[in-house]
Amino acid sequence: MEKFWVMNMEKANELMKYKNINKEELLLIPQDFPYVMKAIDFSDFRNCFVPWHWHNEIEIFYMKSGGIEYYLPGGRVNFPAGTAGIINSNVLHKTRPYFGMEKDIQLIHLVTPSFLAGEQGSRIEQKYITPLVNNPQFEFVKIAPGDKKRRKLYRLIRKSFELKDTDFGYELKLRNILAQIWLEMYALSDDLWADNKTYSNVSDKIKAVIVYINEHYAEKISVKQLATVAFVSERECFRLFQECLHMTPIEYIVNYRLQNACRMLAGTQESVTKIAQSCGLGSSSYFGKIFREKMGCTPSQYRAKWRNSDKKRRI
């Protein structure tokens, strides 16, 4: 059975500066400059897996080394070293590195639409930003170095990560090149939509269910309740999960509960029994059984492992 991997949330907060608010990933973006750039080394994480989430910010990234798999409602997209990509605002996705020999390092811009649009209701927003951000056909763009049609877009993305925040006029230069990236993507939009499958409202329904699970994971949750949230039948609910997340609703619930259990084991002194109850995983014996199946070790062994790992990093 495939191991269930979870992100080291402490490290993620340090690198990505976001917090989980149960509905979407709320990135801590400065109000006076609504943008964040990070170089993410996934090998620094305890385990390298970013669960299903979405956020208002647009992701523009370049894979410096290794590789990342993005999972989207329409399927899986691989981004090996040397490729670039764009994930649109509010697109449901999860990521995992290749787990290869090379470090998986991703350079990423997190850009609010307002950073590109300027004043709300401006001509730029109406003419260039809103049509793409709100286009349900636009979920992602993959740009490879050998793609002739997207050569300019690729060069602009690579160049955008060469800017240094100590450069004179950095903020204006950055906004300028990100606007060039967006304009080039806008110009290529008819070609770029070929990357994306025909849109359906599956993603919106799944998001509603995920919000419900994230808010009620400590309680008993039935598939009937989830189906009601999505305004579908139970059978349709199973189909949506398999089609979009490639797992059953019950598997998602258990995985989400285990994510929270792992965080509590690594970051708190709570007993295993208390953690099992807090995460909706029942008795400590059932929790131990499920945890061993998914993680390959007991909850106590997991806690001891990461405490030892933290000690080594501090030495």
Side-chain angles (χ1 to χ4, degrees):
M1 181 180 293
E2 181 184 8
K3 293 291 191 301
F4 174 71
W5 299 96
V6 294
M7 173 183 275
N8 171 3
M9 296 306 294
E10 179 183 352
K11 192 67 178 179
N13 284 335
E14 176 187 337
L15 293 174
M16 292 289 288
K17 293 188 177 179
Y18 73 77
K19 60 181 180 179
N20 187 345
I21 60 168
N22 294 333
K23 297 181 180 180
E24 62 180 283
E25 299 304 327
L26 180 63
L27 301 168
L28 303 184
I29 305 293
Q31 292 185 351
D32 63 339
F33 194 65
Y35 158 86
V36 167
M37 194 284 279
K38 289 294 176 183
I40 305 173
D41 183 349
F42 281 85
S43 63
D44 285 342
F45 295 156
R46 286 172 174 162
N47 291 305
C48 304
F49 183 94
V50 184
W52 289 101
H53 67 285
W54 65 95
H55 43 72
N56 181 56
E57 288 72 22
I58 301 156
E59 292 185 25
I60 301 174
F61 61 89
Y62 172 73
M63 289 307 304
K64 185 176 180 180
S65 62
I68 290 289
E69 294 176 324
Y70 270 78
Y71 293 75
L72 299 112
R76 182 175 63 183
V77 185
N78 293 328
F79 291 89
T83 60
I86 301 172
I87 306 295
N88 198 11
S89 171
N90 291 313
V91 170
L92 182 65
H93 61 284
K94 72 174 183 178
T95 61
R96 77 160 72 217
Y98 283 174
F99 297 107
M101 297 297 292
E102 191 176 13
K103 279 193 172 186
D104 303 291
I105 299 178
Q106 182 185 38
L107 307 179
I108 181 169
H109 298 299
L110 294 164
V111 187
T112 63
S114 64
F115 185 78
L116 299 172
E119 290 289 334
Q120 185 176 4
S122 69
R123 183 183 301 178
I124 292 174
E125 180 185 61
Q126 295 179 49
K127 189 173 181 179
Y128 299 104
I129 309 303
T130 300
L132 291 191
V133 166
N134 292 345
N135 189 330
Q137 287 184 294
F138 172 32
E139 291 186 341
F140 76 96
V141 177
K142 179 178 179 179
I143 309 105
D147 191 333
K148 294 181 179 179
K149 288 185 178 180
R150 306 177 189 182
R151 184 178 298 165
K152 182 179 178 181
L153 183 58
Y154 181 80
R155 287 201 304 264
L156 286 168
I157 292 176
R158 287 289 306 272
K159 186 178 179 181
S160 69
F161 288 107
E162 295 173 3
L163 293 175
K164 298 179 180 179
D165 59 8
T166 54
D167 293 344
F168 173 74
Y170 164 74
E171 291 81 3
L172 288 175
K173 290 177 181 177
L174 175 66
R175 185 176 180 184
N176 179 55
I177 197 167
L178 290 176
Q180 290 181 61
I181 290 170
W182 193 261
L183 183 61
E184 180 64 16
M185 188 172 64
Y186 189 94
L188 295 171
S189 58
D190 289 342
D191 174 61
L192 297 177
W193 299 161
D195 284 347
N196 298 269
K197 295 186 177 182
T198 303
Y199 171 79
S200 70
N201 63 350
V202 167
S203 180
D204 294 334
K205 292 179 179 179
I206 287 293
K207 284 180 182 178
V209 174
I210 287 176
V211 168
Y212 183 86
I213 292 172
N214 293 1
E215 292 178 344
H216 299 275
Y217 70 91
E219 308 165 15
K220 288 185 178 180
I221 302 175
S222 67
V223 176
K224 183 178 181 180
Q225 288 173 302
L226 301 183
T228 300
V229 170
F231 299 100
V232 297
S233 66
E234 291 183 48
R235 182 178 180 181
E236 179 69 3
C237 185
F238 273 101
R239 188 190 70 78
L240 291 177
F241 267 80
Q242 289 287 6
E243 179 182 317
C244 190
L245 306 186
H246 313 293
M247 63 179 70
T248 68
I250 302 304
E251 286 172 335
Y252 180 88
I253 292 170
V254 171
N255 285 352
Y256 187 78
R257 286 169 172 165
L258 283 172
Q259 288 174 37
N260 286 278
C262 286
R263 294 182 189 124
M264 291 185 71
L265 286 167
T268 75
Q269 301 295 325
E270 296 286 358
S271 68
V272 171
T273 300
K274 181 65 177 295
I275 291 174
Q277 294 171 348
S278 299
C279 296
L281 288 164
S283 66
S284 57
S285 59
Y286 175 76
F287 175 41
K289 177 179 179 293
I290 294 295
F291 199 92
R292 284 193 299 272
E293 288 178 359
K294 294 290 187 178
M295 301 299 295
C297 63
T298 67
S300 297
Q301 288 170 338
Y302 180 91
R303 169 174 273 172
K305 178 181 178 181
W306 297 123
R307 282 181 178 174
N308 291 336
S309 177
D310 286 339
K311 287 180 182 177
K312 289 178 181 178
R313 279 197 295 269
R314 289 195 295 265
I315 294 174

